[in-house]
Amino acid sequence: MKRSIFAGLLVLAISLSGCKAIDISDQQFDILPQQQDVSSVSEPEQTAPVSEVCLAYNMNDSLNPYTMTSQLNHELIPLLYDSLTRLDKTFKPQNQLATEVIVEGKLCTVKYNRSAQFSDGTLLTGKDIVYSIATASASDDNWKAMLQNVAGCSINDDGDVEIKLHQEDADFACLLSFPIIKENTATADHPTGVSKFYLSGMQGNDAVLTANQLYYGNTGNLKTIRLVGVSDADALTFSLKTGDIDVVYSDLNDTELSNMSTSSVPVSLNHLVYLGVNSGRGLLSKAEFRKAVSTALNRDELVSTAYLTRANAARYPFHPDFYRLQKMELPAPRNLTAADALLDGMGLTQKDADGYRLQNGTPITLSLLVNSENACRNAAATLIAGQLKQIGVKVDVVSKSFSQYQASLSRHDYDLYIGETRMMDNMDFSMLMSGGSLGFATAYSEELVNLYRAYKSTGTNIEAFCEAFNEQSPFIPLVFRQGLISFNREFRAEIVATEQDIFYNIVEW
């Protein structure tokens, strides 16, 4: 098989990130089949299973999941370490090493696969899981933040693992995606894991992963993975363009990776782009005005123009694919008539010659703060200004460097701002609510807080919360961004990927 490198490159979406133009020529469309003469239809080409693939890794970084620092190596974790659960494409937790996860109040009980073996042949035990929880909680990675609700853990009389929580969380099972390692191996260069593959040897700077014959699940057709050392993203870009790399993942923050002229598939990200609202300023203190602003926004235009179709429009602070929203009828994307009616109902009916609504004889004007270093959000700000003009609200876009942007947020020196944050895997957005780390001057609503607390505790009545959220609009969701897997046209495997595991269906390659 022609040598190829499969690389994962994930840079978390932070305010410093940029977003450039990307190639969208290879989007996938559902097309209705046309009638054909059966005699003229040829047999579909059979795709040979993939038996060997090359992945890029940072040879200057560790393969220890709890000490590695590069995002490139971080993407390899699901190949070398199973977790208790992993999220599917609807952000619903699926059991991996866990056989059952029971969340009751502030207690999470994890039953696990007692027949699962580590790559060295020893059986997985409850002690290994407790050790892994403690290691993840003490790490400098995102797992520490994900497990901040853990008050303690122990093994009960049945041998199951019990995790005590500080706060009730019906979706706590979504957070059990940290790597499980064997007890007392956290400081090793390569801790022992339960995995589809294991590190079987080195060939110069290359590492060789071999399918684990002791694995409790299916390992598929892939027998060998070669990890080829690369130094930076430019090396990945060059190798993909020359055909040496089959697949590269990007969250579309890197210019080169986002401009690949290759085939691609989108990856849903839990990265929310939103409008922050300063509820301490004028009309923005009124819920009906905030709702009018949200109702007037054309999120579909933001997706197609500012994010070049690489995003999902969102009215609620949950990803549209989130499994708990599946029974809900999502609202229409835009309703200018309803937005105008809300403003008319507030008595804001007078307009000047330019069509801007007047308050005390002065045009209603809002400042919209945005980080100048992010092209996508600057494009979105310009679009938002034009969209709100259609309901008679003037918007002045204030574009500042990241340091100045942060300073303005800290001083509450804004009316609106465009922000982005990576949501927790359990869809916790409390950091954006009043009093949260990103709450700044967000409006407080006791009704909304109570509804959110009830939803978090039970996982039920998300509809009631969403309805109340829409009425209050303490902050205004815009889109959830997408990542992209670009692959060499000679690569024949059908790739299914999630943000948490870009190798989600590797056993089917």
Side-chain angles (χ1 to χ4, degrees), residues 349-382:
T349 56
Q350 291 185 321
K351 297 182 180 180
D352 65 10
D354 295 320
Y356 292 116
R357 293 176 185 267
L358 301 176
Q359 183 185 34
N360 300 324
T362 303
I364 297 173
T365 304
L366 302 176
S367 64
L368 174 55
L369 178 66
V370 64
N371 174 15
S372 62
E373 298 164 27
N374 187 288
C376 288
R377 280 176 245 157
N378 275 271
T382 300

Side-chain angles (χ1 to χ4, degrees), residues 218-481:
N218 178 26
T219 58
N221 298 299
L222 193 57
K223 303 305 179 185
T224 303
I225 297 176
R226 298 188 181 277
L227 302 184
V228 180
V230 296
S231 55
D232 53 36
D234 291 336
L236 297 178
T237 301
F238 179 78
S239 297
L240 183 61
K241 288 181 177 179
T242 58
D244 292 328
I245 292 180
D246 285 324
V247 185
V248 172
Y249 171 75
S250 171
D251 75 343
L252 300 181
N253 282 322
D254 185 279
T255 304
E256 285 296 316
L257 291 178
S258 62
N259 278 287
M260 296 291 187
S261 57
T262 58
S263 299
S264 61
V265 292
V267 180
S268 294
L269 303 183
N270 207 8
H271 293 220
L272 174 63
V273 182
Y274 62 95
L275 270 184
V277 180
N278 188 341
S279 65
R281 287 195 173 182
L283 291 169
L284 291 170
S285 65
K286 300 181 182 299
E288 56 265 46
F289 186 82
R290 299 192 298 268
K291 181 182 178 182
V293 170
S294 178
T295 304
L297 294 177
N298 188 339
R299 292 167 173 83
D300 289 337
E301 184 181 35
L302 298 181
V303 169
S304 63
T305 304
Y307 288 91
L308 300 179
T309 75
R310 300 307 189 190
N312 299 99
R315 284 285 296 271
Y316 302 132
F318 302 102
H319 195 286
D321 294 338
F322 185 41
Y323 75 100
R324 293 197 186 276
L325 290 180
Q326 289 180 344
K327 294 182 179 180
M328 283 186 59
E329 182 177 345
L330 298 181
R334 191 189 198 195
N335 192 329
L336 286 176
T337 301
D340 280 324
L342 285 167
L343 297 180
D344 290 344
M346 295 176 66
L348 303 172
T349 56
Q350 291 185 321
K351 297 182 180 180
D352 65 10
D354 295 320
Y356 292 116
R357 293 176 185 267
L358 301 176
Q359 183 185 34
N360 300 324
T362 303
I364 297 173
T365 304
L366 302 176
S367 64
L368 174 55
L369 178 66
V370 64
N371 174 15
S372 62
E373 298 164 27
N374 187 288
C376 288
R377 280 176 245 157
N378 275 271
T382 300
L383 291 172
I384 289 170
Q387 292 169 6
L388 294 186
K389 181 179 180 180
Q390 294 180 267
I391 58 170
V393 176
K394 184 178 181 181
V395 175
D396 292 331
V397 177
V398 181
S399 186
K400 295 185 176 182
S401 68
F402 180 56
S403 60
Q404 294 174 325
Y405 169 88
Q406 282 190 311
S408 293
L409 290 179
S410 299
R411 297 193 306 266
H412 299 176
D413 183 18
Y414 63 90
D415 292 323
L416 305 171
Y417 74 91
I418 298 183
E420 179 176 330
T421 186
R422 188 200 185 286
M423 305 274 279
M424 290 288 192
D425 289 345
N426 61 345
M427 290 291 167
D428 186 340
F429 54 86
S430 58
M431 78 291 286
L432 294 171
M433 300 286 279
S434 178
S437 59
L438 299 177
F440 300 113
T442 303
Y444 175 79
S445 166
E446 184 174 1
E447 175 194 14
L448 201 60
V449 168
N450 290 336
L451 284 171
Y452 183 59
R453 184 180 294 117
Y455 159 73
K456 286 289 293 177
S457 300
T458 64
T460 61
N461 293 325
I462 193 173
E463 299 88 351
F465 172 80
C466 287
E467 182 179 352
F469 181 89
N470 189 47
E471 292 297 321
Q472 292 291 328
S473 296
F475 61 93
I476 301 173
L478 299 174
V479 303
F480 280 86
R481 288 199 306 105

Side-chain angles (χ1 to χ4, degrees), residues 51-338:
S51 60
E52 181 177 316
V53 69
C54 292
L55 311 181
Y57 86 112
N58 187 332
M59 59 186 176
N60 298 317
D61 189 18
S62 171
L63 286 175
N64 184 321
Y66 291 116
T67 61
M68 63 176 55
T69 58
S70 65
Q71 291 298 330
L72 187 57
N73 287 8
H74 195 279
E75 295 305 323
L76 302 173
I77 289 175
L79 299 177
L80 295 167
Y81 301 94
D82 274 10
S83 53
L84 294 172
T85 66
R86 67 173 185 167
L87 300 187
D88 64 16
K89 296 192 73 172
T90 68
F91 299 91
K92 185 174 183 178
Q94 302 295 330
N95 289 333
Q96 198 167 31
L97 284 173
T99 57
E100 187 178 9
V101 179
I102 305 168
V103 181
E104 295 177 325
K106 295 182 181 180
L107 180 65
C108 172
T109 303
V110 179
K111 301 178 183 293
Y112 62 93
N113 187 338
R114 306 295 176 93
S115 63
Q117 299 179 64
F118 285 103
S119 58
D120 66 357
T122 57
L123 287 173
L124 172 69
T125 69
K127 289 184 178 180
D128 299 311
I129 295 175
V130 171
Y131 177 78
S132 298
I133 293 173
T135 303
S137 298
S139 71
D140 292 328
D141 212 309
N142 290 325
W143 292 299
K144 181 176 183 178
M146 288 169 58
L147 296 177
Q148 61 186 342
N149 193 26
V150 173
C153 56
S154 59
I155 302 171
N156 64 20
D157 293 339
D158 295 325
D160 302 324
V161 175
E162 292 186 344
I163 305 172
K164 295 181 180 179
L165 308 178
H166 293 294
Q167 303 292 334
E168 295 180 357
D169 181 2
D171 274 318
F172 180 74
C174 295
L175 304 178
L176 299 178
S177 58
F178 52 90
I180 297 298
I181 61 175
K182 186 175 179 179
E183 187 179 18
N184 297 324
T185 66
T187 59
D189 291 337
H190 184 253
T192 307
V194 180
S195 55
K196 302 177 186 69
F197 301 89
Y198 67 96
L199 182 63
S200 58
M202 299 292 297
Q203 295 181 355
N205 290 327
D206 295 354
V208 179
L209 305 185
T210 301
N212 185 2
Q213 299 302 314
L214 301 177
Y215 189 60
Y216 63 96
N218 178 26
T219 58
N221 298 299
L222 193 57
K223 303 305 179 185
T224 303
I225 297 176
R226 298 188 181 277
L227 302 184
V228 180
V230 296
S231 55
D232 53 36
D234 291 336
L236 297 178
T237 301
F238 179 78
S239 297
L240 183 61
K241 288 181 177 179
T242 58
D244 292 328
I245 292 180
D246 285 324
V247 185
V248 172
Y249 171 75
S250 171
D251 75 343
L252 300 181
N253 282 322
D254 185 279
T255 304
E256 285 296 316
L257 291 178
S258 62
N259 278 287
M260 296 291 187
S261 57
T262 58
S263 299
S264 61
V265 292
V267 180
S268 294
L269 303 183
N270 207 8
H271 293 220
L272 174 63
V273 182
Y274 62 95
L275 270 184
V277 180
N278 188 341
S279 65
R281 287 195 173 182
L283 291 169
L284 291 170
S285 65
K286 300 181 182 299
E288 56 265 46
F289 186 82
R290 299 192 298 268
K291 181 182 178 182
V293 170
S294 178
T295 304
L297 294 177
N298 188 339
R299 292 167 173 83
D300 289 337
E301 184 181 35
L302 298 181
V303 169
S304 63
T305 304
Y307 288 91
L308 300 179
T309 75
R310 300 307 189 190
N312 299 99
R315 284 285 296 271
Y316 302 132
F318 302 102
H319 195 286
D321 294 338
F322 185 41
Y323 75 100
R324 293 197 186 276
L325 290 180
Q326 289 180 344
K327 294 182 179 180
M328 283 186 59
E329 182 177 345
L330 298 181
R334 191 189 198 195
N335 192 329
L336 286 176
T337 301

